[in-house]
Amino acid sequence: MSNPSEGKEKDIPLAATISKPGSATEQKTGEWRSKRPQRDDSLCDKCGICWIFCPDAAIYINEDGYYEVDYDHCKGCGICARECPMGAIKMVDEGE
Amino acid sequence: MAKRTGLEVSLAVSEAVKMARAEVIAAYPITPQTHIVEELSQMVADGELDAEFILVESEHSAMSACCGSSAVGARSFTATASQGLALMHEVLYIASGLRLPMVMVVANRALSAPLSIWGDHSDVMAERDSGWLQFFAETGQDAFDLTIQAFKISEDHRVLLPSIVNLDGFTLTHVIEPILLPEQGEVDAFLPSYEPPSRLDPQKPTTVGPVGFPEIYTEVKKQQNDALLGSYEVILEVWDEFEKSFGRGYKPIEHYKTEDAEILIAIAGSMAGTARIAVDGMREEGKKVGLIRPRLWRPFPFEEFRNSVAGAKALAVVDRSLSFGGQGGPMCSEMRSALFPLDEKPVVTSYIAGLGGRDITIENFRTIVSDTERVLEEGYGDEYKLIGVKE
C-alpha cells in the first residue's frame, strides 16, 4: 500500500510500512512548481543532457525520442534549462 | 532445575541475554553498563553465543543497528547508560515508531553536568515519552528475569514495541547477588525464537520508515499508543506464564506492608531495598508505614496504582531525578495526576533523593515520612523537597 493521502487508521499498515515497491511515483509532487520547463522541438537535438541532470528523475524519453518532462513530479528547479547546450528549454511561469 | 549462583548482576544480565538466544547485539561501552556487553562480546568470541556482535562507533549507531537487525527479524539487544542513552535519543523514537521489538538494559546513571558516572534515574526519565515499554528492577534476579520476559513481551505480535529494563548503576550492576539460573531448555520453552509479522527482505522489497504526511501521522501514532497501552494485558499474561514456568511471580507494582498503612512510600529501583528496612524500623515504633515499588513504568499501571494507594492518608513519592522548573519528581507528577480525578485520595508529597550516586539512607526515609506527617497536619508547603542537601 502506498502512503495514503486519506488513510483511516484501520487501513494503515503497521508503522505505515509501504509494501508495494516503486509506489512513490503514484504521489503527485509537482504541485508546488512556480515555473515549468518548456522545450522547443526545433532547437532540441535529443542529446539527453536534461535527462542526465534532472535531480528528480522527472524527464523521460517519448516515442519520438524527445526528452519529455513529467509534470506530475517536476519541481520546476530549472536545472534542465540551464544545462541545455542548445538553449532549447525555457522556464515559463505556471499559469501562462 | 534452576541453580543458585553468585554472580555480579551485570554478568547475570549477560547470561539472561545469552539464554534468550539474542541474535544481534550492537553496543558501545559506557560506565556502569560496560560489564554487560563486555561479557556478551566474550561469549560471542568464545562461541558460547551464536550472535552477531556489532562493534559500533557510538550509541547512536548501536541503536540504529538494532533497528536494522530488528527490522530483518533478528532478536536484538543493546545496553547503555546516561550520555549513551541521551545520544540514542532520536533513534529511540524511531525504534518505537517503526514498531521494532528489541531489549535494552539501561544501567541508570546521572546525566552530565557536572559529570557523574554514578547512579540516578535522570537518564531514563529523559526518555519517558519515547514509546518504549519501561521496567525497573530492584534486585539481580529481577534484572535477570525482566530481561528474558522483555523479549517475549516486546516480540508479541499484539505489542511489537521495544523495551527498556532499568537497573541502578553500581548499586545493582556492580554487586554480586545470588541468582537462580534456569536451565536453557526451560528458557527455550518460555521464549521461542522471534517470528516477525513482516521483515525487510531483498526478495520482497518494502519501505520501512516512509514519510508520514499530516493526513496519516496522527493515525499511525494512535496505533502506536494503542499498542503500548494494550501491552499491559500482554505483560500480565507473560508474568503469569513466567510464574507457572519458573515459580517467581511479578506484578506491575510490588507492595510491602501496605495493608493497613497510613503513609506509603513509593520508590522505583534498588533503593526500595533500603526503604523496606526503613519501613520495618518505623513499624517497630508503631508507625503505620508501607512501601509501593513500581516495577512497570511504561505503560503506567493506572488502575493497579490507584488500587495500591486506596485508603492511605498520604503517599510520599521519592524520585531519583529532578524535573527542573517543574513539579520536582517526574514519577511524582505522574502519580499525583493519576490520583487527581478521584474523590478520595491520599495527600501526595514529592521528594528528590539519590541524585548522582548519593545514597538514600534509612534516615532519609525517616525524614521523608516525618515531613509527610507534618504535611498531613499543617498542609502543603513546598511543591517538593530535595532530601539530604548539605546546608
Side-chain angles (χ1 to χ4, degrees), chain A residues 3-23 27 29, chain B residues 97-99 160 197-198 204-213 215-216 219-220 222-223 226:
Chain A
N3 206 340
S5 58
E6 285 180 65
K8 289 185 179 166
E9 191 211 333
K10 63 179 172 53
D11 300 328
I12 298 170
L14 187 78
T17 295
I18 297 171
S19 53
K20 185 179 162 193
S23 58
Q27 305 292 324
T29 52
Chain B
L98 292 183
R99 309 291 303 278
L160 295 169
S198 66
K204 219 181 118 195
T206 54
T207 302
V208 173
V211 172
F213 288 100
E215 291 85 350
I216 65 152
E219 286 70 23
V220 176
K222 179 176 185 296
Q223 286 179 345
D226 286 349

Side-chain angles (χ1 to χ4, degrees), chain B residues 63-302:
Chain B
M63 184 41 55
S64 301
C66 283
C67 285
S69 59
S70 180
V72 299
R75 180 166 288 161
S76 306
F77 177 83
T78 188
T80 191
S82 185
Q83 311 304 125
L85 184 62
L87 187 54
M88 287 180 177
H89 175 77
E90 62 162 338
V91 195
L92 297 184
Y93 282 71
I94 293 169
S96 58
L98 292 183
R99 309 291 303 278
L100 297 171
M102 65 184 79
V103 175
M104 169 159 64
V105 167
V106 177
N108 301 117
R109 164 184 155 182
L111 285 168
S112 189
L115 181 71
S116 167
I117 61 164
W118 296 279
D120 75 22
H121 295 161
S122 54
D123 56 359
V124 77
M125 286 303 167
E127 309 306 339
R128 186 188 63 178
D129 298 336
S130 59
W132 286 55
L133 282 76
Q134 298 182 25
F135 306 89
F136 276 96
E138 178 186 347
T139 65
Q141 191 69 55
D142 229 2
F144 179 91
D145 292 348
L146 282 170
T147 302
I148 290 172
Q149 294 158 1
F151 281 111
K152 192 176 173 78
I153 295 163
S154 277
E155 293 168 1
D156 190 292
H157 286 196
R158 294 166 290 173
V159 180
L160 295 169
L161 286 167
S163 289
I164 288 174
V165 177
N166 289 294
L167 50 151
D168 286 321
F170 294 110
T171 49
L172 205 46
T173 55
H174 284 55
V175 297
I176 294 172
E177 289 194 9
I179 311 282
L180 279 164
L181 295 177
E183 299 286 341
Q184 182 65 58
E186 295 174 297
V187 178
D188 290 343
F190 174 77
L191 181 65
S193 60
Y194 172 43
E195 287 301 326
S198 66
R199 66 177 90 213
L200 271 182
D201 177 0
Q203 302 306 317
K204 219 181 118 195
T206 54
T207 302
V208 173
V211 172
F213 288 100
E215 291 85 350
I216 65 152
Y217 188 87
T218 305
E219 286 70 23
V220 176
K221 291 291 122 177
K222 179 176 185 296
Q223 286 179 345
Q224 182 186 336
N225 193 45
D226 286 349
L228 185 55
L229 293 172
S231 71
Y232 186 71
E233 288 304 318
V234 178
I235 292 164
L236 297 187
E237 259 178 54
V238 167
W239 280 345
D240 194 44
E241 190 183 332
F242 188 88
E243 186 171 12
K244 283 180 187 136
S245 305
F246 300 96
R248 290 184 292 282
Y250 280 82
K251 294 194 191 80
I253 296 174
E254 291 296 334
H255 296 185
Y256 185 67
K257 299 193 174 174
T258 56
E259 267 180 29
D260 62 338
E262 292 176 354
I263 296 180
L264 289 173
I265 299 167
I267 189 166
S270 63
M271 295 294 178
T274 315
R276 266 170 235 269
I277 296 167
V279 165
D280 288 344
M282 288 184 273
R283 280 273 174 183
E284 277 172 26
E285 294 157 20
K287 289 191 183 202
K288 289 187 174 173
V289 182
L291 169 75
I292 61 167
R293 177 177 75 82
R295 175 181 280 116
L296 180 62
W297 172 233
R298 282 294 182 274
F300 188 77
F302 288 98

